[in-house]
Amino acid sequence: MTGLDRNSVRRTAVLAGAALIVGLLPLASAGTAAAADPDPVPVDRFEGEVPFASQPAEGLFTWGGDADDPPRLSLAERSDAPEGAKVLAGDYDISGYGGFTHDYAADQPGHDWSAHKGIRFWWDGQNNGKKTAFEIKDGGANGEASELWTTSFTDDFTGWKQIEIPFGDFTYRTDYQPVGGIDQVLGLTQMWGYAVTLPVGAAGRFAMDDVELYGKADQSLRASVTTDAAVYPVKEGGTASVKVSVATTGSAPIDEPVTVAYESAGGTAEPGRDYTPVKGEITFPAGTESGASRTVRVPTLRDRTGEAAETVPLKLTVTGAKAPAETPQVVIDAHGLPYLDAKLPVKKRVADLLSRMSLAEKAGQMTQAERGAIGAGGDIAAYDLGSLLSGGGSTPTPNTPAAWAKMIDGYQLRAQATRFQIPLIYGVDAVHGHNNLAGATVMPHNIGIGATRDPALAERTGAVTAAEVRATGVPWDFAPCLCVTRDERWGRSYESFGEDPALVESMETVVQGLQGDRSGKDLKDDDKVLATAKHFVGDGGTAYGSSTTGSYTVDQGVTKVSRQELEAVHLAPFQEAVDRGVGTVMPSYSSLDLGDGQGPVKMHARGDMINGVLKDRMGFDGFVISDWNAIDQLPGDYAAHVRTSVNAGVDMMMVPYSYKEFSATLIDEAKAGRVTDRRIDDAVARILAQKFRLGLFEKPYADTGGASAIGSTAHRAVARQAAAESQVLLKNAGSVLPLKKSQKVYVAGSNADDIGNQTGGWTITWQGSSGNITPGTTILQGMRKAGGDITYSKDASASTDGYDVGVVVVGETPYAEGVGDVGNGNDLELTAADKAAVDKVCAAMKCAVLIVSGRPQLIGDRLGDVDALVASWLPGTEGDGVADVLYGRRAFTGQLPVTWPKSESQLPINVGDTSYDPQFPYGWGLTTLTNVPGGGTASLRALALVAAAAERAGADTVARTAVTKARLLVQQKIGTAVTAASAKPFADADHLLLTGHYADAVAKLTQAYRAG
């Protein structure tokens, strides 16, 4: 990029001076220059010819991450304007992201910029040293549905300066694209405008003038030489084929010859011994079509000696076009070494490989980077990276199964250029299905799975998730969350199976769904993934107001508990996970305060918990992965962050954008003896063992054989069942539910017809979003498919006359993590619009209210006006499942996984509390089964005898059935008249049921019956 300084001299004077100089030159020279360089083409003069408007009209408009982020723009008169009388001026103070755009009119054809060298503009420098991103919009339907190509310039000057950007400087934006990839080629023949992203973090001002296209398209900028890959693995003795292609922006034939001289040179392989050297030249004559290719072959030689991989760089010297961004490498595969022998036990393979690795290679295995940080992927081999991840919303373009597999295969190919060709382990947060992938089967969030009380179904949801994740090339899932949620003000409440550790433990069958057999023998299968138990330990117990992270109130706060409570409530689920063979564990962002005088200590620094309890006492033999940038929250400098977390037992560090710094610091700390060789070897051995168990050394690339089942009818049937079983019927006066198909039903509410709202956070993006974000069936659509006579009015503005029953679907909009904390812009109240819809419909007819939310909502003030109340949680993509119970295709069988409070002031409130007076107790859930038992105390006495006998005999199924019958009988008597006297023993009974104390559970239910 070049820039021309401009301060007090007006641009018109510059142009006049240039004209004078041209006039003094010989005519032939002037004529040649004119022919070679077309006149600049204005894009924006900022004199008022382009309005402030947005699509589909042409215009300038602002945007930002929140209400304060968009800059303020004006067309300001400036005496020093480089062109004309006005400039585009503005000021900004951006905390998230913000900027402005000029889009061409969407109802007109895109513009052709292909005749020009680049784009330029004048910028009034403030010398603030900050980067400003500049994007252009290529191809697609319009300016908001095009590809984004980006570059940046640094404001390190004062006054006006002309910024010139050749089109060759723009790169395809990989972190965000508004639509699926079009062709990922900067065609320049269908351009839709530009955008400017302003710096964040400090208030500033800017001025800009005269955006224009300049120069003649130089073939070396328009044409480029590429190879079909950056890495070419080949077995010893084989021949690598390197395809060399020429391509042009706009796909026009080249108008000048392009030559490519090639030569095998450098690398770790020895010419004549390991391969036959090659040298030559390829010529693409003028007129060659864009996309034409030639092949260079590099033969390798067999020496029958076991050895590590060796590299043969193929140096390319290009004339007449842009050369490839990097030198392609032929890699002679590692061979004949013990760690490559799949017949050997994993322990021996690990020991052999570990003995060969350097400190740098070991540090690389302990490092995990985000895909968006590594660009084309060259750093994978340069830093021997062991792992990559996709954060929430970090997806390929287009977001399809095939694109995921292609992307991950490309990264795995890069790992083949390392000395020992150790494959990457790629991880994603598939917390309720493969939720980053558009079109995947999205399950109910864990809170809903806990409501099903169905361990077998939980395992099936895990199996579907694993199959869909592995079919896209991903072998590792950062799930399940085993937090025990103790305060529903926590924004992560829905990630928990419930408030009772016994319930969480019972749902850990999901680990087998994800991983298969406890031994790990199934991990190499194409439908299993490595699971992650998170967040170790106590994140569900953080106290309201204890967080020091931004504006969070609960998340990442402090869990202050006695050691006894820690063991009983928060550690117990992790012992179960270890017993089930879970492959990885993730520590929590939160701090733990055991009242032992240490005060709150961040979990990533707690060696007593990670090394002492998890690894030593519990016997966990997998590896520990940090949370996203979690070590940055530890005290001290960065070196202290690294050594503290590694020495505490964290084996792999999720350092998404600081992977280079982490790796270098770990190496320095190890050389200084502050992290021991033994500790590093332990960490790397744990990581390598899981890679061997996953079969990645034998099959590093995606097995897409199961891709056709992603979002399939069979998979969605499992999600549909889970959605149905998760529905908890809290009230059903007059048997309003189930609905009858003959009834005229009035449907209203914000969440009746919104797939984004019913799937919640962690869906397509980290926070999720409202709207039609992924294929699925909304609750309204499910009701219509069920055959109901439906009228829908979202805000209940349509007439309510003439209907038999109303269904109002209300609740929350999506959020994730601390963003959803109560007090951080959120509360447990319904919105004013939702309240109005409930009031209007329930005043006009019998009504059922469904609450779609990640946690209980306060409904007590309206409970008397509501005939039926359903906790729908976040049911996922299959609204058919909700319709199934509404219309009686399935019975309501769900039970509350958390206590439903009367008021926010009661929080935290949990089963087992001494004072316990909720709206609905933990374990509550009415049924629409027709065979609810009767008989009162006589039946309870009989059921108590059955439960006791079955408990003694170890007949769990019989005993559970007896307790369930007793629970339904008690609920039938209590109805909506829940009191503290009945609620406490009722909730206690469900905990006793889950812990196998069946006779005691019936005794508690009998107590609740008498109190009711």
Side-chain angles (χ1 to χ4, degrees):
M1 185 185 304
T2 61
L4 304 176
D5 287 321
R6 172 72 165 86
N7 288 303
S8 58
V9 182
R10 293 180 60 83
R11 183 168 183 262
T12 51
V14 174
L15 294 176
L20 176 61
I21 293 169
V22 170
L24 295 174
L25 293 173
L27 289 176
S29 298
T32 303
D37 227 9
D39 291 335
V41 172
V43 177
D44 251 334
R45 297 177 63 245
F46 302 118
E47 300 299 310
E49 76 283 3
V50 175
F52 289 103
S54 56
Q55 295 283 280
E58 179 174 7
L60 291 158
F61 62 95
T62 62
W63 37 266
D66 57 39
D68 295 329
D69 283 349
R72 289 157 293 280
L73 304 182
S74 66
L75 298 178
E77 291 202 19
R78 288 271 294 260
S79 61
D80 64 342
E83 192 279 336
K86 296 179 180 179
V87 302
L88 180 69
D91 60 86
Y92 57 89
D93 188 0
I94 302 167
S95 59
Y97 62 90
F100 61 91
T101 292
H102 174 184
D103 276 353
Y104 292 137
D107 60 356
Q108 300 293 321
H111 294 209
D112 188 345
W113 293 2
S114 62
H116 293 272
K117 179 180 182 178
I119 189 167
R120 66 189 180 193
F121 50 88
W122 292 86
W123 191 266
D124 186 14
Q126 306 301 307
N127 199 23
N128 57 25
K130 292 184 176 291
K131 286 187 180 294
T132 295
F134 188 87
E135 294 176 346
I136 55 178
K137 303 186 170 193
D138 174 59
N142 55 62
E144 296 309 290
S146 60
E147 285 185 344
L148 302 181
W149 291 73
T150 187
T151 187
S152 66
F153 63 92
T154 302
D155 186 343
D156 55 3
F157 53 91
T158 302
W160 288 108
K161 179 178 179 178
Q162 191 175 44
I163 308 294
E164 290 190 344
I165 310 175
F167 290 130
D169 283 1
F170 286 93
T171 58
Y172 181 78
R173 188 170 168 184
T174 58
D175 60 333
Y176 168 75
Q177 288 289 346
V179 293
I182 298 163
D183 57 13
Q184 298 184 28
V185 173
L186 182 55
L188 295 172
T189 58
Q190 191 181 18
M191 303 300 295
W192 295 103
Y194 66 88
V196 176
T197 302
L198 295 163
V200 302
R205 61 184 178 86
F206 73 93
M208 184 182 191
D209 201 12
D210 191 27
V211 185
E212 64 183 14
L213 310 176
Y214 74 95
K216 181 188 176 188
D218 184 340
Q219 178 167 289
S220 65
L221 294 172
R222 189 171 62 86
S224 60
V225 168
T226 59
T227 57
D228 56 329
V231 179
Y232 296 84
V234 60
K235 292 188 182 301
E236 185 187 49
T239 298
S241 297
V242 180
K243 191 162 126 181
V244 180
S245 303
V246 64
T248 62
T249 56
S251 300
I254 58 175
D255 48 22
E256 299 171 16
V258 173
T259 60
V260 183
Y262 60 87
E263 180 181 8
S264 55
T268 58
E270 184 179 333
R273 180 176 176 273
D274 296 315
Y275 70 97
T276 302
V278 297
K279 185 176 182 178
E281 186 175 275
I282 295 168
T283 299
F284 295 97
T288 299
E289 293 293 320
S290 177
S293 62
R294 307 284 188 273
T295 300
V296 177
R297 291 180 171 81
V298 181
T300 68
L301 304 173
R302 190 184 299 276
D303 62 13
R304 302 183 183 279
T305 302
E307 54 194 348
E310 298 170 308
T311 57
V312 186
L314 188 64
K315 183 181 177 183
L316 302 178
T317 305
V318 178
T319 305
K322 191 175 183 178
E326 54 187 310
T327 298
Q329 289 194 85
V330 173
V331 179
I332 304 170
D333 286 340
H335 54 278
L337 301 177
Y339 78 89
L340 295 169
D341 186 354
K343 295 178 182 176
L344 287 178
V346 166
K347 205 167 187 177
K348 287 190 175 181
R349 297 179 76 182
V350 169
D352 178 69
L353 178 51
L354 194 63
S355 71
R356 301 173 186 277
M357 296 171 68
S358 68
L359 174 58
E361 288 166 331
K362 292 173 183 176
Q365 286 303 300
M366 295 172 67
T367 307
Q368 183 183 65
E370 217 283 335
R371 60 169 285 278
I374 61 164
D379 279 355
I380 292 171
Y383 292 88
D384 294 290
L385 294 179
S387 181
L388 294 180
L389 83 152
S390 280
S394 179
T395 64
T397 301
N399 188 3
T400 63
W404 274 87
K406 181 180 178 182
M407 174 185 73
I408 293 168
D409 282 355
Y411 296 144
Q412 290 288 18
L413 180 64
R414 294 288 190 157
Q416 295 299 298
T418 60
R419 195 160 62 118
F420 298 113
Q421 298 182 305
I422 302 173
L424 294 164
I425 180 169
Y426 199 101
V428 297
D429 284 279
V431 297
H432 62 141
H434 197 355
N435 42 256
N436 278 312
L437 172 64
T441 307
V442 178
M443 302 290 171
H445 270 294
N446 282 355
I447 193 99
I449 300 297
T452 69
R453 295 299 200 281
D454 189 339
L457 180 58
E459 182 171 349
R460 290 175 65 203
T461 64
V464 168
T465 298
E468 297 199 0
V469 168
R470 195 69 182 256
T472 59
V474 178
W476 184 14
D477 184 4
F478 304 133
C481 185
L482 303 183
C483 50
V484 181
T485 179
R486 306 293 283 179
D487 188 336
E488 278 60 62
R489 290 170 292 189
W490 187 34
R492 301 191 83 139
S493 292
Y494 63 74
E495 294 188 54
S496 173
F497 291 114
E499 70 185 35
D500 183 352
L503 174 57
V504 175
E505 290 176 61
S506 73
M507 293 294 114
E508 290 185 51
T509 50
V510 70
V511 173
Q512 264 55 68
L514 293 166
Q515 291 194 169
D517 191 82
R518 297 175 189 226
S519 67
K521 69 181 181 63
D522 299 331
L523 284 172
K524 64 184 181 300
D525 294 350
D526 63 2
D527 62 351
K528 294 298 175 218
V529 294
L530 199 66
T532 306
K534 65 182 189 185
H535 303 94
F536 186 83
V537 58
D539 54 336
T542 48
Y544 186 82
S546 67
S547 180
T548 57
T549 301
S551 56
Y552 296 178
T553 57
V554 186
D555 193 35
Q556 303 184 28
V558 179
T559 301
K560 188 170 184 176
V561 289
S562 66
R563 189 165 289 276
Q564 181 180 6
E565 185 179 349
L566 177 72
E567 294 282 351
V569 176
H570 299 291
L571 275 171
F574 287 92
Q575 182 65 68
E576 176 71 16
V578 172
D579 292 345
R580 287 182 173 276
V582 74
T584 62
V585 170
M586 181 183 291
S588 173
Y589 280 119
S590 58
S591 301
L592 185 62
D593 185 349
L594 293 175
D596 53 7
Q598 294 187 64
V601 179
K602 284 285 185 181
M603 277 307 308
H604 282 75
R606 294 213 64 137
D608 60 329
M609 289 288 123
I610 300 173
N611 285 326
V613 174
L614 178 65
K615 291 181 175 179
D616 294 343
R617 195 188 84 191
M618 292 184 177
F620 174 63
D621 64 357
F623 69 88
V624 176
I625 170 71
S626 86
D627 210 333
W628 178 285
N629 276 337
I631 65 170
D632 291 347
Q633 298 185 6
L634 301 183
D637 59 15
Y638 193 72
H641 299 168
V642 171
R643 66 174 172 269
T644 299
S645 54
V646 172
N647 287 334
V650 183
D651 302 306
M652 181 185 285
M653 222 60 67
M654 189 186 292
V655 279
Y657 295 93
S658 55
Y659 58 92
K660 296 177 187 178
E661 185 181 7
F662 169 76
S663 181
T665 304
L666 177 57
I667 291 169
D668 289 344
E669 291 297 294
K671 287 179 177 177
R674 289 184 289 268
V675 177
T676 66
D677 292 344
R678 181 179 179 182
R679 172 68 197 104
I680 288 176
D681 284 354
D682 173 62
V684 176
R686 288 168 176 271
I687 294 163
L688 294 176
Q690 298 297 9
K691 291 185 176 185
F692 282 122
R693 289 181 182 122
L694 284 162
L696 294 176
F697 281 82
E698 291 70 47
K699 294 174 65 177
Y701 302 113
D703 183 340
T704 58
S708 61
I710 294 174
S712 65
T713 301
H715 285 186
R716 290 183 184 274
V718 175
R720 179 174 181 166
Q721 181 181 348
E725 290 191 23
S726 73
Q727 302 300 292
V728 180
L729 184 58
L730 300 173
K731 178 182 179 181
N732 194 24
S735 298
V736 168
L737 295 176
L739 303 171
K740 301 177 179 62
K741 292 181 182 179
S742 60
Q743 291 175 311
K744 291 188 66 177
V745 181
Y746 186 101
V747 179
S750 60
N751 286 347
D753 195 30
D754 194 310
I755 200 77
N757 287 357
Q758 76 183 45
T759 51
W762 288 108
T763 308
I764 306 303
T765 58
W766 173 41
Q767 289 294 313
S769 59
S770 301
N772 189 23
I773 61 172
T774 193
T777 303
T778 67
I779 294 171
L780 175 69
Q781 290 168 339
M783 293 176 70
R784 284 177 168 156
K785 287 167 65 177
D789 183 354
I790 305 294
T791 295
Y792 173 58
S793 176
K794 181 176 180 178
D795 61 359
S797 59
S799 172
T800 55
D801 294 338
Y803 293 92
D804 298 308
V805 64
V807 174
V808 192
V809 190
V810 295
E812 295 185 305
T813 53
Y815 54 80
E817 300 190 38
V819 176
D821 283 356
V822 167
N824 186 26
N826 298 275
D827 56 41
L828 301 181
E829 296 280 350
L830 299 179
T831 65
D834 278 349
K835 289 177 180 178
V838 170
D839 291 346
K840 182 174 180 181
V841 175
C842 293
M845 63 192 83
K846 290 181 180 179
C847 72
V849 173
L850 276 60
I851 299 180
V852 173
S853 64
R855 54 198 166 190
Q857 302 291 283
L858 302 176
I859 194 73
D861 58 344
R862 284 171 169 75
L863 191 57
D865 300 321
V866 172
D867 298 292
L869 180 65
V870 178
S872 287
W873 309 114
L874 298 167
T877 50
E878 307 313 300
D880 284 328
V882 181
D884 285 342
V885 291
L886 289 178
Y887 276 95
R889 185 174 182 270
R890 289 180 180 270
F892 277 94
T893 56
Q895 294 175 247
L896 283 181
V898 293
T899 300
W900 198 283
K902 289 180 176 177
S903 67
E904 192 176 318
S905 64
Q906 287 185 312
L907 297 173
I909 181 171
N910 295 288
V911 57
D913 288 354
T914 303
S915 176
Y916 190 75
D917 185 20
Q919 192 83 65
F920 297 102
Y922 168 77
W924 187 265
L926 304 176
T927 186
T928 48
L929 291 168
T930 55
N931 59 341
V932 175
T937 54
S939 291
L940 287 171
R941 283 194 296 272
L943 290 168
L945 293 172
V946 171
E951 184 178 335
R952 287 193 298 272
D956 287 351
T957 302
V958 174
R960 287 175 181 275
T961 300
V963 177
T964 298
K965 287 182 177 180
R967 179 179 64 83
L968 295 177
L969 189 157
V970 172
Q971 284 183 158
Q972 188 175 53
K973 181 189 179 188
I974 294 175
T976 57
V978 178
T979 63
S982 61
K984 181 170 175 50
F986 185 93
D988 290 343
D990 203 60
H991 172 74
L992 290 166
L993 166 67
L994 288 164
T995 53
H997 297 89
Y998 306 117
D1000 290 343
V1002 177
K1004 284 288 184 182
L1005 287 168
T1006 302
Q1007 182 182 339
Y1009 182 88
R1010 288 171 178 153

